[in-house]
Amino acid sequence: MSHIKNITLKIWRQDGPSAQGRFETYKVDSVTDEASFLELLDVVNENLLNDGKEPITFDSDCREGICGTCGLMINGQSHGPEKSTATCQLHMRKFTSGDVITVEPFRASAFPILKDLMVDRSAFDRIVESGGFITAPTGGAPDANLIPIPKPVADAAMDSAECIGCGACVAACPNGAAHLFTAAKISHLNLLPQGQAERYKRTEAMVETMNEHFGSCTNHGECEQACPKSISIDVIAIMHKDYRKSKLKNRKELARNK
Amino acid sequence: MSNWQTLESKGISSKIPKGSVEDKWLGYKEDLKLVNPNNKRKFKVLVVGTGLAGASAAATLAELGYEVEAFTFHDSPRRAHSIAAQGGINAAKNYQGDGDSVHRLFYDTVKGGDFRARESNVHRLAEVSVNIIDQMVAQGVPFAREYGGLLDNRSFGGAQVSRTFYARGQTGQQLLLGAYQQLARQVGLGGVKLWTKVEMVDVVTVDGKAAGIVTRDLVSGEIRSHSGHAVLLCTGGYGNVFYLSTNAMNCNVTAAWRAHRKGAYFANPCFTQIHPTCIPQSDETQSKLTLMSESLRNDGRVWVPKDRDEKRSADQIPEEERDYILERLYPSYGNLAPRDISSRAAKRSVDSGLGVGPLKNGVYLDFSAAINRLGEPVVAERYGNLFEMYERISGENPYKTPMRIYPAVHYTMGGLWVDYELMTSIPGVYALGEANFSDHGANRLGASALMQGLADGYFVIPYTLGNYLAPMLNKPAPGVDHPAFKEAEQAATARYTGYMNIKGTRSPDYFHRQLGKIMWDFCGMERTKESLEKALGEIPALYEEFQKDLRIPGDMALNTTLEKAGRVDDFFQLGMLLCRDALEREESCGGHFRAEYQYDDGEAMRNDEEFAHAAAWEWTGDPMQSIRNIEPLEFEAIHLAVRSYK
Amino acid sequence: MAQVINRQRGPITGSATKARKKQPFLLDLYSTSVGKKYVMALTGLMGLGFVLVHMVGNLKMYLGREDYNHYAEFLRELLVPILPRTVLLWILRGGLIAAVLGHLHAAATLTKMNREARSVKYQSARDYQAATFASRTMRWTGTIVLLFIVWHILDLTAGTVNGGNFVRGDAYNNVAHSLNRPLVAAAYILANLALGVHLFHGVWSLFQSMGWSHPRFNKWRRHIAGGLASVIVLGNISFPILVLCKVVEVHA
């Protein structure tokens, strides 16, 4: 165990959603390299409180990189410099003594800042509510082994399903787009046999809900790099294909049911 | 021997149905009172917590037609800590044809729980386990599959069959997302009203029955009342009373504790589970511990060096100088011995100075044999993401050097006392999932928490709730303008302004850390009369300091320090009750190990004569004065036996 | 999409029950960013087809004045006598103009949407990991290419900025006259480099936008984009260079 010394933190402070924010500078003399980045913030907060000042508000929960609650823009990167890693799993050994670290909240119009570094990402829930599910009311399910699913298909669905909904993709996207999040869910459900019945209804509804809140995809690929689960932008292509098909198929359905 | 009163004598029934254990649930379902589909919308159900139990219950009840309001303190239901479960979910599907059955799962769970669970509940759990898998697959949970396309299983601690379904090392995530999606669908359709960033701070009763809850809005600070015919507490466990645990930062006991203070009995708080495979603490700033899935023990071998002064790195230590502790002590289960047994074996090694790592606070979990046998790709396929996670946290590559692990607080078997219908001792208030005490006895088997949360939410509460609501049809429920709500609102406001007004010098975290240290040192993996009495001396003193010296900067709106203060306050009170429960239970069983009660070889010595019961604590206004009542446990289907895994 | 929460805190429910506004099918499709990207991709593909054919056709320059001018005349006589002279050429031109307008409209509306999606920008420097120079500068390279096209048409189609030597029908000499001016040649080279950068991102991007994805061939998409962009740029900038090197000269 060694120590990282003399860290300067420039942290965004903002009292409320419509308040004017500003960067404030905090110094940390020393922290072990085993500490996580959020534990560094814990130390800063404890010091602030001991000085009678208000601690920095930030979100975190599981601190195991799975719940998706944490998320900070660290030195201009979603979740900081380590690949495939959520903020809570970023450890101080990735930094060196004397570093100046700038921390901002995830920024997007759909993610209003609640306070300091905490944002409201409930727009993601609206996307899921519009179609990110398979309708399977409790009780009527057939035996789980009734439909065999080829392993590669199950694996591909799982790759997409790993999304933790942290919003790093939106935060990293120069356009504030939520394509990776939306496409990951669409691709998870659309790949599986169980998801076929609602495939096109789902795709159309989710894309259009996404469109109400977020920007457009210009294929920079920043989202993939920022994603703590390394979800590939290939899922976005899957969504783009299925949206196209869904518009045509749903149009046909609509005409048929007139 | 104390003069504990039985719940029966206090007029509280466990409502265990008649008949043999196999027939109880079937018989119950045939006899229960139903609510007509058109009448369901006349009942409002408040679901607190949206983890596995809460999300599945809220979604299912809304599908049935009840008016449902769901509450989460997270920004989204998908953040609940169920998401962090890694290893898997048990179900008696017997897809592997290796001799599994409902009875065997039932048996394993009762035995694994060291005969301190209610047989009838456990059998029901085993029965509905098969439906859970069907349900989750239908919802699109991408469980692991064989090349033939059928579901894959792995084996888990405490079982001799492969009955665990899994989705990589993220089973909890996938199941929670499944339940969350079903809940989201109901929110979208208008079947559920979802409150986010709202914390329940009180239960309101009128005439001794559930009338609703009072919440605090974490964003605006507003205190609100919500009335309903029934309240479902799906609020998880209280492992964070130890400060360092594998629970998420925000896990807390507040909802359950506030219900307890309103009359719900709290059962077996001393049954806390220590998980054997966590990453050892590395420094003093550590805010939580991280669990590595127990599934790692399928292929990892636990060992320590035989020499206390061993200085060599793990790979330099020859075979004959290693002690494979679990394989030596428990030959038939080996590295898959149940959690409490494995944890204590690790603790004994570390306590005797054989620990490994810079702080000598862990044991090795070695994969080199598996890598040699199966090859690195197969091991990577099974545990790749866990290995990555370990490397990210510890900075060491487990393909090259053995992992270092140590037990940590992980799950709490105790919780609100519930009857067979999952109703607490307050009529109309239910507790589901980890928040209740019913199914795991003194120790939970791996991959059973997900099973229980989903069983309660999907397949139990939708039936049992109707039985309570049916007779209440067309009888008006008290609204939020009832004086009981106003009173509870005022109490809640007073409580939170009270914290603000202390204006002391120390943070809630400071007190939480101190409390956690007392709890872990004196009431952790091993407890004694002396240590518990010491804890019971120190906690009230620290609590008094907390009430005098707390400092909360900022205001009543969004203020995470204030949130924390309320939670730590409740942990203090629970901590006292937990230690008292541990003190009164003069035996060792499952997660509760009293050093005075052990066999010569260090195994737990249970006392079935005096303690084959659940302790159900009754609130009196002071946790140091709570009354211990008991529910005697009767074992009809399985004979009480010494739990041996040798 | 303002950065303010004024709404009263309350429960969420029925979020998926409101019906969407009905619009004619194509407008409906075009109303989402994904639909607009289809337009970007397809009009871009038309543009790509044009610049590729345009470049290949212009290689005729190396065969001499006669062949080159013959090729120019051939374009005017496409599908003659089914159609009168220059009709198909104008149809193609009309298609291209529509594509450019579509491309511009989609780009402008998407840009507006993206700005609104992050109404408050990051206040510290971003450290981009995947975004390339090409992807980050599409708006600028696109604008350069657009301005160049306008100038290029005025130069070699309308002849108004050809330097007073323009002879309708003598494409070869017109090109040679024009590119003989070093500043013009330099602008021409710069514009084509911008086009190349634009294509480098645009071609790969159109696969993604259209959902033309296949795990086996996905890695080829970047190579195809790079290859096409290089071929087009190399072909196009060879003209001014060779004119300046007097390989292509004005024939009296």
Side-chain angles (χ1 to χ4, degrees), chain C residues 23-243:
Chain C
Q23 280 180 312
F25 181 70
L26 286 177
L27 281 181
D28 183 47
L29 186 61
Y30 190 63
S31 71
T32 64
S33 68
V34 177
K36 286 186 168 66
K37 290 296 289 187
Y38 296 151
V39 171
M40 284 302 272
L42 292 176
T43 54
L45 193 59
M46 288 168 72
L48 171 71
F50 167 74
V51 290
L52 187 63
V53 171
H54 186 70
M55 184 276 290
V56 171
N58 277 324
L59 291 175
K60 287 266 182 304
M61 202 180 292
Y62 300 125
L63 297 179
R65 182 184 178 194
E66 203 168 315
D67 279 282
Y68 190 70
N69 286 350
H70 177 256
Y71 167 66
E73 182 56 22
F74 157 81
L75 290 176
R76 292 181 200 103
E77 290 187 352
L78 278 175
L79 280 194
V80 173
I82 296 176
L83 293 172
R85 188 171 176 273
T86 74
V87 167
L88 184 64
L89 186 63
W90 276 106
I91 290 173
L92 289 174
R93 283 170 173 172
L96 285 170
I97 290 166
V100 169
L101 293 177
H103 207 73
L104 281 176
H105 187 265
T109 47
L110 285 169
T111 303
K112 180 167 173 286
M113 180 178 185
N114 296 343
R115 296 240 160 100
E116 283 167 0
R118 183 169 290 127
S119 51
V120 178
K121 289 186 170 19
Y122 283 104
Q123 307 292 304
S124 59
R126 285 294 312 274
D127 181 2
Y128 290 111
Q129 299 300 302
T132 57
F133 174 75
S135 75
R136 304 269 309 130
T137 55
M138 289 301 273
R139 260 161 234 152
W140 303 114
T141 51
T143 308
I144 293 169
V145 170
L146 178 70
L147 292 175
F148 171 71
I149 291 171
V150 171
W151 186 84
H152 194 55
I153 290 170
L154 291 177
D155 180 18
L156 294 171
T157 309
T160 44
V161 294
N162 195 247
N165 299 309
F166 188 77
V167 178
R168 190 164 293 278
D170 191 357
Y172 187 88
N173 274 352
N174 292 341
V175 171
H177 273 301
S178 180
L179 294 183
N180 221 358
R181 301 170 292 183
L183 270 180
V184 171
Y188 188 101
I189 291 169
L190 272 180
N192 271 288
L193 287 173
L195 174 67
V197 171
H198 198 80
L199 288 178
F200 176 73
H201 181 70
V203 172
W204 127 256
S205 190
L206 77 86
F207 286 104
Q208 272 294 101
S209 298
M210 291 309 295
W212 293 331
S213 167
H214 186 297
R216 175 72 183 79
F217 301 112
N218 278 353
K219 63 173 186 216
W220 286 96
R221 298 182 302 181
R222 293 265 185 200
H223 300 313
I224 291 171
L228 278 173
S230 317
V231 167
I232 288 167
V233 170
L234 285 177
N236 278 346
I237 65 173
S238 72
F239 307 129
I241 290 171
L242 292 173
V243 170

Side-chain angles (χ1 to χ4, degrees), chain B residues 32-45 60-68 229 461-463 465-467 469-470 473-474:
Chain B
L32 67 86
K33 295 189 266 301
L34 297 173
V35 180
N36 171 310
N38 295 325
N39 284 333
K40 287 202 176 83
R41 73 175 94 92
K42 296 179 185 164
F43 291 109
K44 186 152 125 194
V45 184
T60 306
L61 294 173
E63 283 163 7
L64 290 172
Y66 291 106
E67 189 187 339
V68 178
H229 294 84
I461 199 71
Y463 294 92
L465 186 63
N467 204 37
L469 294 174
L473 186 64
N474 297 330

Side-chain angles (χ1 to χ4, degrees), chain B residues 30-208:
Chain B
E30 280 167 13
D31 289 344
L32 67 86
K33 295 189 266 301
L34 297 173
V35 180
N36 171 310
N38 295 325
N39 284 333
K40 287 202 176 83
R41 73 175 94 92
K42 296 179 185 164
F43 291 109
K44 186 152 125 194
V45 184
L46 308 178
V47 181
V48 186
T50 55
L52 277 185
S56 56
T60 306
L61 294 173
E63 283 163 7
L64 290 172
Y66 291 106
E67 189 187 339
V68 178
E69 284 197 42
F71 302 83
T72 172
F73 63 69
H74 287 108
D75 63 342
S76 163
R78 67 180 297 150
R79 312 266 183 239
H81 197 55
S82 313
I83 205 158
Q86 297 170 354
I89 176 167
N90 287 330
K93 277 285 197 186
N94 194 28
Y95 280 159
Q96 305 304 320
D98 57 359
D100 198 10
S101 65
V102 167
H103 184 81
R104 195 173 285 278
L105 175 55
F106 160 63
Y107 176 84
D108 286 347
T109 308
V110 172
K111 179 186 170 196
D114 221 351
F115 300 92
R116 292 294 175 264
R118 194 189 284 147
E119 266 193 350
S120 53
N121 286 51
V122 178
H123 199 277
R124 176 178 64 192
L125 175 67
E127 286 171 63
V128 302
S129 69
V130 296
N131 304 109
I132 296 171
I133 302 304
D134 298 342
Q135 178 63 28
M136 298 323 283
V137 167
Q139 280 174 22
V141 169
F143 283 120
R145 287 177 184 267
E146 312 261 15
Y147 277 97
L150 300 180
L151 291 160
D152 191 18
N153 290 115
R154 54 164 67 137
S155 58
F156 238 75
Q160 287 178 308
V161 292
S162 287
R163 64 158 75 98
T164 305
F165 295 80
Y166 65 100
R168 298 209 181 130
Q170 287 136 276
T171 318
Q173 181 200 25
Q174 292 311 311
L175 294 174
L176 179 70
L177 293 182
Y180 154 72
Q181 285 162 206
Q182 208 180 350
L183 172 63
R185 174 170 172 263
Q186 286 302 325
V187 172
L189 293 172
V192 173
K193 284 198 178 102
L194 175 68
W195 294 84
T196 57
K197 287 255 175 209
V198 157
E199 181 165 44
M200 189 203 103
V201 292
D202 212 350
V203 166
V204 178
T205 58
V206 172
D207 302 330

